[in-house]
Amino acid sequence: MQHLLSLFDITVNNLHEILATASHLKRRLQMGDRPPVLERRVIALLFEKPSLRTRVSFETGMAQLGGSSLFLGEEVGWGKRESPSDFTHVLGQFVDAVVCRTKKHERATQLAQFNALPVINGLTDLCHPCQALADILTIQEAFGTEKDKHLVFVGDGNNVSGSLALICAMLKMKFTLACPASYELNPEWLNQIHQHYPQAMIEQTSNVDAAVSTADAIYTDVWTSMGQEEESAIRRRAFANFQVNRQLMSKAPSHARVLHCLPAVRGEEITDEVIDSPQSDVISQAGNRMHAQKGLLVWLLNHQWVKENV
Ligand code: CP
Ligand code: NVA
């Protein structure tokens, strides 16, 4: 059964198909066309952490495709009222796929292990594959292609930057993480990327000025992710020199785009001036969450349509 726990679950060809489906459906939507490709299909959203973009974009995307979605919060008692096996097999009788957002990545893996229904990762502590899909769509729209582009992530080696490092390796893009020492990418994750994609061009450096000097896109995310709140004071000190501000932007090529997965802590990892500047694509990037996920859902649940239409 096909899951999307991480981008390791799909091939480079699959990735191109998903992105092409997303662009196709986006173009059609812009012309007022909402083909009911997933008519009467239902997905569940099983979330242990808050969300605006992921939740709303999956729900509206599914509605636009003629299907529907169910938001499942704490009250369904996942991991509390019954065994994981009973929970997952029962859910699989009712819905076509589940999108989960979990505190621990293992919880998402556990859902998928029963192969009772396709599981899509809507963010875990380890990775955020749906975000990376939308980010590449945004880069393609800005430059016409992602080919040969250099993505520089200024900030934490977290779930978002980890997924970007992987998607860049898949697409032969150069990826640099500019971060303070000891906030690099998870070494196991990085090894896995190099094993799957030996040509991966991934660098990690604390020299942020040098990193951005060849950037086509400069990306940042919060210094303190959900679940790390106790570390926020330490992190604020550690990342103090890694703010995306006007001074840093002056070191980057003038064509460089600014990206952020949002939500942002304005004044910490990025200044108002930069996030609201003409170089910033953050609002359309957030909008692309829906388009990218529509591509993913159709690719996953109606592959025949992709073969015939995209
Ligand atoms: N970027 C992102 O995943 O946003 P939400 O946490 O609001 O879903
Ligand atoms: N790294 C952030 C991303 C939020 C979309 C977090 O995990 O909180």
PDB file of all heavy atoms in Angstrom, residues 46 48 73-88 107 110-111:
ATOM      1  N   LEU A  46      -6.201  13.390  11.293  1.00  0.00           N
ATOM      2  CA  LEU A  46      -5.989  12.969  12.681  1.00  0.00           C
ATOM      3  C   LEU A  46      -4.831  13.796  13.225  1.00  0.00           C
ATOM      4  O   LEU A  46      -3.676  13.540  12.893  1.00  0.00           O
ATOM      5  CB  LEU A  46      -5.640  11.468  12.633  1.00  0.00           C
ATOM      6  CG  LEU A  46      -5.556  10.660  13.899  1.00  0.00           C
ATOM      7  CD1 LEU A  46      -6.856  10.730  14.687  1.00  0.00           C
ATOM      8  CD2 LEU A  46      -5.254   9.198  13.535  1.00  0.00           C
ATOM      9  N   GLU A  48      -2.630  15.773  16.290  1.00  0.00           N
ATOM     10  CA  GLU A  48      -2.259  15.915  17.711  1.00  0.00           C
ATOM     11  C   GLU A  48      -1.668  17.297  18.014  1.00  0.00           C
ATOM     12  O   GLU A  48      -1.285  17.549  19.153  1.00  0.00           O
ATOM     13  CB  GLU A  48      -1.169  14.904  18.076  1.00  0.00           C
ATOM     14  CG  GLU A  48      -1.576  13.463  18.046  1.00  0.00           C
ATOM     15  CD  GLU A  48      -0.443  12.559  18.515  1.00  0.00           C
ATOM     16  OE1 GLU A  48       0.747  12.895  18.324  1.00  0.00           O
ATOM     17  OE2 GLU A  48      -0.754  11.498  19.049  1.00  0.00           O
ATOM     18  N   GLY A  73      -9.982  15.145  16.224  1.00  0.00           N
ATOM     19  CA  GLY A  73      -9.091  15.672  17.267  1.00  0.00           C
ATOM     20  C   GLY A  73      -8.962  14.652  18.394  1.00  0.00           C
ATOM     21  O   GLY A  73      -9.181  13.452  18.208  1.00  0.00           O
ATOM     22  N   GLU A  74      -8.642  15.176  19.561  1.00  0.00           N
ATOM     23  CA  GLU A  74      -8.429  14.367  20.772  1.00  0.00           C
ATOM     24  C   GLU A  74      -9.557  13.374  21.066  1.00  0.00           C
ATOM     25  O   GLU A  74      -9.323  12.271  21.538  1.00  0.00           O
ATOM     26  CB  GLU A  74      -8.367  15.318  21.974  1.00  0.00           C
ATOM     27  CG  GLU A  74      -7.051  16.029  22.132  1.00  0.00           C
ATOM     28  CD  GLU A  74      -6.099  15.207  22.965  1.00  0.00           C
ATOM     29  OE1 GLU A  74      -6.445  14.918  24.118  1.00  0.00           O
ATOM     30  OE2 GLU A  74      -5.031  14.843  22.452  1.00  0.00           O
ATOM     31  N   GLU A  75     -10.811  13.818  20.771  1.00  0.00           N
ATOM     32  CA  GLU A  75     -11.971  13.056  21.256  1.00  0.00           C
ATOM     33  C   GLU A  75     -12.078  11.647  20.677  1.00  0.00           C
ATOM     34  O   GLU A  75     -12.763  10.806  21.246  1.00  0.00           O
ATOM     35  CB  GLU A  75     -13.278  13.847  21.039  1.00  0.00           C
ATOM     36  CG  GLU A  75     -13.743  13.998  19.596  1.00  0.00           C
ATOM     37  CD  GLU A  75     -12.904  14.964  18.762  1.00  0.00           C
ATOM     38  OE1 GLU A  75     -12.032  15.650  19.320  1.00  0.00           O
ATOM     39  OE2 GLU A  75     -13.134  15.010  17.546  1.00  0.00           O
ATOM     40  N   VAL A  76     -11.376  11.352  19.564  1.00  0.00           N
ATOM     41  CA  VAL A  76     -11.464   9.982  19.028  1.00  0.00           C
ATOM     42  C   VAL A  76     -10.605   9.003  19.835  1.00  0.00           C
ATOM     43  O   VAL A  76     -10.707   7.789  19.663  1.00  0.00           O
ATOM     44  CB  VAL A  76     -11.100   9.893  17.526  1.00  0.00           C
ATOM     45  CG1 VAL A  76     -12.125  10.621  16.671  1.00  0.00           C
ATOM     46  CG2 VAL A  76      -9.694  10.409  17.246  1.00  0.00           C
ATOM     47  N   GLY A  77      -9.769   9.557  20.713  1.00  0.00           N
ATOM     48  CA  GLY A  77      -9.041   8.704  21.656  1.00  0.00           C
ATOM     49  C   GLY A  77      -7.958   7.845  21.034  1.00  0.00           C
ATOM     50  O   GLY A  77      -7.654   6.752  21.533  1.00  0.00           O
ATOM     51  N   TRP A  78      -7.352   8.366  19.985  1.00  0.00           N
ATOM     52  CA  TRP A  78      -6.273   7.606  19.318  1.00  0.00           C
ATOM     53  C   TRP A  78      -5.149   7.321  20.326  1.00  0.00           C
ATOM     54  O   TRP A  78      -4.612   8.247  20.927  1.00  0.00           O
ATOM     55  CB  TRP A  78      -5.751   8.431  18.134  1.00  0.00           C
ATOM     56  CG  TRP A  78      -4.663   7.760  17.354  1.00  0.00           C
ATOM     57  CD1 TRP A  78      -4.492   6.423  17.158  1.00  0.00           C
ATOM     58  CD2 TRP A  78      -3.587   8.405  16.660  1.00  0.00           C
ATOM     59  NE1 TRP A  78      -3.389   6.189  16.372  1.00  0.00           N
ATOM     60  CE2 TRP A  78      -2.813   7.386  16.053  1.00  0.00           C
ATOM     61  CE3 TRP A  78      -3.218   9.739  16.481  1.00  0.00           C
ATOM     62  CZ2 TRP A  78      -1.681   7.669  15.292  1.00  0.00           C
ATOM     63  CZ3 TRP A  78      -2.095  10.023  15.711  1.00  0.00           C
ATOM     64  CH2 TRP A  78      -1.335   8.987  15.130  1.00  0.00           C
ATOM     65  N   GLY A  79      -4.848   6.025  20.490  1.00  0.00           N
ATOM     66  CA  GLY A  79      -3.791   5.626  21.436  1.00  0.00           C
ATOM     67  C   GLY A  79      -4.267   5.591  22.867  1.00  0.00           C
ATOM     68  O   GLY A  79      -3.490   5.277  23.767  1.00  0.00           O
ATOM     69  N   LYS A  80      -5.536   5.901  23.093  1.00  0.00           N
ATOM     70  CA  LYS A  80      -6.040   5.943  24.481  1.00  0.00           C
ATOM     71  C   LYS A  80      -7.221   5.006  24.699  1.00  0.00           C
ATOM     72  O   LYS A  80      -7.278   4.293  25.681  1.00  0.00           O
ATOM     73  CB  LYS A  80      -6.462   7.377  24.839  1.00  0.00           C
ATOM     74  CG  LYS A  80      -5.286   8.342  24.870  1.00  0.00           C
ATOM     75  CD  LYS A  80      -5.611   9.646  25.574  1.00  0.00           C
ATOM     76  CE  LYS A  80      -4.389  10.567  25.579  1.00  0.00           C
ATOM     77  NZ  LYS A  80      -4.554  11.735  24.716  1.00  0.00           N
ATOM     78  N   ARG A  81      -8.174   4.981  23.744  1.00  0.00           N
ATOM     79  CA  ARG A  81      -9.406   4.211  23.992  1.00  0.00           C
ATOM     80  C   ARG A  81      -9.340   2.763  23.552  1.00  0.00           C
ATOM     81  O   ARG A  81     -10.131   1.943  24.004  1.00  0.00           O
ATOM     82  CB  ARG A  81     -10.595   4.891  23.286  1.00  0.00           C
ATOM     83  CG  ARG A  81     -11.024   6.192  23.907  1.00  0.00           C
ATOM     84  CD  ARG A  81     -12.274   6.732  23.222  1.00  0.00           C
ATOM     85  NE  ARG A  81     -13.460   5.972  23.538  1.00  0.00           N
ATOM     86  CZ  ARG A  81     -14.379   5.586  22.641  1.00  0.00           C
ATOM     87  NH1 ARG A  81     -14.222   5.879  21.366  1.00  0.00           N
ATOM     88  NH2 ARG A  81     -15.439   4.911  23.011  1.00  0.00           N
ATOM     89  N   GLU A  82      -8.448   2.449  22.607  1.00  0.00           N
ATOM     90  CA  GLU A  82      -8.383   1.079  22.094  1.00  0.00           C
ATOM     91  C   GLU A  82      -7.021   0.822  21.483  1.00  0.00           C
ATOM     92  O   GLU A  82      -6.200   1.728  21.377  1.00  0.00           O
ATOM     93  CB  GLU A  82      -9.496   0.850  21.063  1.00  0.00           C
ATOM     94  CG  GLU A  82      -9.498   1.848  19.929  1.00  0.00           C
ATOM     95  CD  GLU A  82     -10.832   1.859  19.180  1.00  0.00           C
ATOM     96  OE1 GLU A  82     -11.297   0.772  18.795  1.00  0.00           O
ATOM     97  OE2 GLU A  82     -11.394   2.960  18.987  1.00  0.00           O
ATOM     98  N   SER A  83      -6.796  -0.398  21.082  1.00  0.00           N
ATOM     99  CA  SER A  83      -5.461  -0.747  20.565  1.00  0.00           C
ATOM    100  C   SER A  83      -5.222  -0.034  19.236  1.00  0.00           C
ATOM    101  O   SER A  83      -6.176   0.233  18.492  1.00  0.00           O
ATOM    102  CB  SER A  83      -5.341  -2.259  20.364  1.00  0.00           C
ATOM    103  OG  SER A  83      -6.055  -2.636  19.199  1.00  0.00           O
ATOM    104  N   PRO A  84      -3.955   0.249  18.907  1.00  0.00           N
ATOM    105  CA  PRO A  84      -3.649   0.885  17.619  1.00  0.00           C
ATOM    106  C   PRO A  84      -4.188   0.063  16.448  1.00  0.00           C
ATOM    107  O   PRO A  84      -4.672   0.610  15.460  1.00  0.00           O
ATOM    108  CB  PRO A  84      -2.122   0.927  17.585  1.00  0.00           C
ATOM    109  CG  PRO A  84      -1.692   0.856  19.009  1.00  0.00           C
ATOM    110  CD  PRO A  84      -2.737   0.055  19.734  1.00  0.00           C
ATOM    111  N   SER A  85      -4.146  -1.251  16.565  1.00  0.00           N
ATOM    112  CA  SER A  85      -4.608  -2.116  15.487  1.00  0.00           C
ATOM    113  C   SER A  85      -6.118  -1.963  15.290  1.00  0.00           C
ATOM    114  O   SER A  85      -6.593  -1.768  14.164  1.00  0.00           O
ATOM    115  CB  SER A  85      -4.226  -3.560  15.822  1.00  0.00           C
ATOM    116  OG  SER A  85      -4.917  -4.432  14.976  1.00  0.00           O
ATOM    117  N   ASP A  86      -6.875  -2.045  16.367  1.00  0.00           N
ATOM    118  CA  ASP A  86      -8.337  -1.892  16.241  1.00  0.00           C
ATOM    119  C   ASP A  86      -8.669  -0.511  15.673  1.00  0.00           C
ATOM    120  O   ASP A  86      -9.481  -0.373  14.755  1.00  0.00           O
ATOM    121  CB  ASP A  86      -9.030  -2.051  17.601  1.00  0.00           C
ATOM    122  CG  ASP A  86      -9.006  -3.500  18.083  1.00  0.00           C
ATOM    123  OD1 ASP A  86      -8.663  -4.387  17.274  1.00  0.00           O
ATOM    124  OD2 ASP A  86      -9.316  -3.728  19.273  1.00  0.00           O
ATOM    125  N   PHE A  87      -8.020   0.496  16.219  1.00  0.00           N
ATOM    126  CA  PHE A  87      -8.289   1.876  15.782  1.00  0.00           C
ATOM    127  C   PHE A  87      -8.076   2.020  14.273  1.00  0.00           C
ATOM    128  O   PHE A  87      -8.922   2.527  13.532  1.00  0.00           O
ATOM    129  CB  PHE A  87      -7.361   2.835  16.536  1.00  0.00           C
ATOM    130  CG  PHE A  87      -7.589   4.278  16.214  1.00  0.00           C
ATOM    131  CD1 PHE A  87      -8.448   5.061  16.975  1.00  0.00           C
ATOM    132  CD2 PHE A  87      -6.949   4.876  15.125  1.00  0.00           C
ATOM    133  CE1 PHE A  87      -8.666   6.401  16.667  1.00  0.00           C
ATOM    134  CE2 PHE A  87      -7.166   6.209  14.799  1.00  0.00           C
ATOM    135  CZ  PHE A  87      -8.030   6.967  15.586  1.00  0.00           C
ATOM    136  N   THR A  88      -6.935   1.521  13.813  1.00  0.00           N
ATOM    137  CA  THR A  88      -6.562   1.745  12.413  1.00  0.00           C
ATOM    138  C   THR A  88      -7.426   0.914  11.465  1.00  0.00           C
ATOM    139  O   THR A  88      -7.854   1.405  10.417  1.00  0.00           O
ATOM    140  CB  THR A  88      -5.065   1.420  12.226  1.00  0.00           C
ATOM    141  OG1 THR A  88      -4.344   2.050  13.270  1.00  0.00           O
ATOM    142  CG2 THR A  88      -4.555   1.924  10.903  1.00  0.00           C
ATOM    143  N   ARG A 107       4.466   7.460  15.800  1.00  0.00           N
ATOM    144  CA  ARG A 107       2.992   7.318  15.850  1.00  0.00           C
ATOM    145  C   ARG A 107       2.425   7.228  14.428  1.00  0.00           C
ATOM    146  O   ARG A 107       1.501   6.483  14.155  1.00  0.00           O
ATOM    147  CB  ARG A 107       2.361   8.527  16.552  1.00  0.00           C
ATOM    148  CG  ARG A 107       2.715   8.648  18.001  1.00  0.00           C
ATOM    149  CD  ARG A 107       1.705   7.976  18.884  1.00  0.00           C
ATOM    150  NE  ARG A 107       0.485   8.763  19.025  1.00  0.00           N
ATOM    151  CZ  ARG A 107      -0.681   8.256  19.394  1.00  0.00           C
ATOM    152  NH1 ARG A 107      -0.792   6.958  19.613  1.00  0.00           N
ATOM    153  NH2 ARG A 107      -1.729   9.034  19.539  1.00  0.00           N
ATOM    154  N   GLN A 110       3.374   3.877  12.979  1.00  0.00           N
ATOM    155  CA  GLN A 110       2.525   2.825  13.554  1.00  0.00           C
ATOM    156  C   GLN A 110       1.172   2.741  12.844  1.00  0.00           C
ATOM    157  O   GLN A 110       0.665   1.658  12.580  1.00  0.00           O
ATOM    158  CB  GLN A 110       2.332   3.127  15.039  1.00  0.00           C
ATOM    159  CG  GLN A 110       1.610   2.051  15.804  1.00  0.00           C
ATOM    160  CD  GLN A 110       1.241   2.549  17.188  1.00  0.00           C
ATOM    161  OE1 GLN A 110       0.566   3.564  17.343  1.00  0.00           O
ATOM    162  NE2 GLN A 110       1.690   1.841  18.204  1.00  0.00           N
ATOM    163  N   LEU A 111       0.617   3.900  12.496  1.00  0.00           N
ATOM    164  CA  LEU A 111      -0.660   3.924  11.760  1.00  0.00           C
ATOM    165  C   LEU A 111      -0.517   3.196  10.421  1.00  0.00           C
ATOM    166  O   LEU A 111      -1.423   2.495   9.980  1.00  0.00           O
ATOM    167  CB  LEU A 111      -1.041   5.362  11.424  1.00  0.00           C
ATOM    168  CG  LEU A 111      -2.060   6.156  12.191  1.00  0.00           C
ATOM    169  CD1 LEU A 111      -2.317   7.465  11.469  1.00  0.00           C
ATOM    170  CD2 LEU A 111      -3.362   5.402  12.413  1.00  0.00           C
TER     171      LEU A 111
END
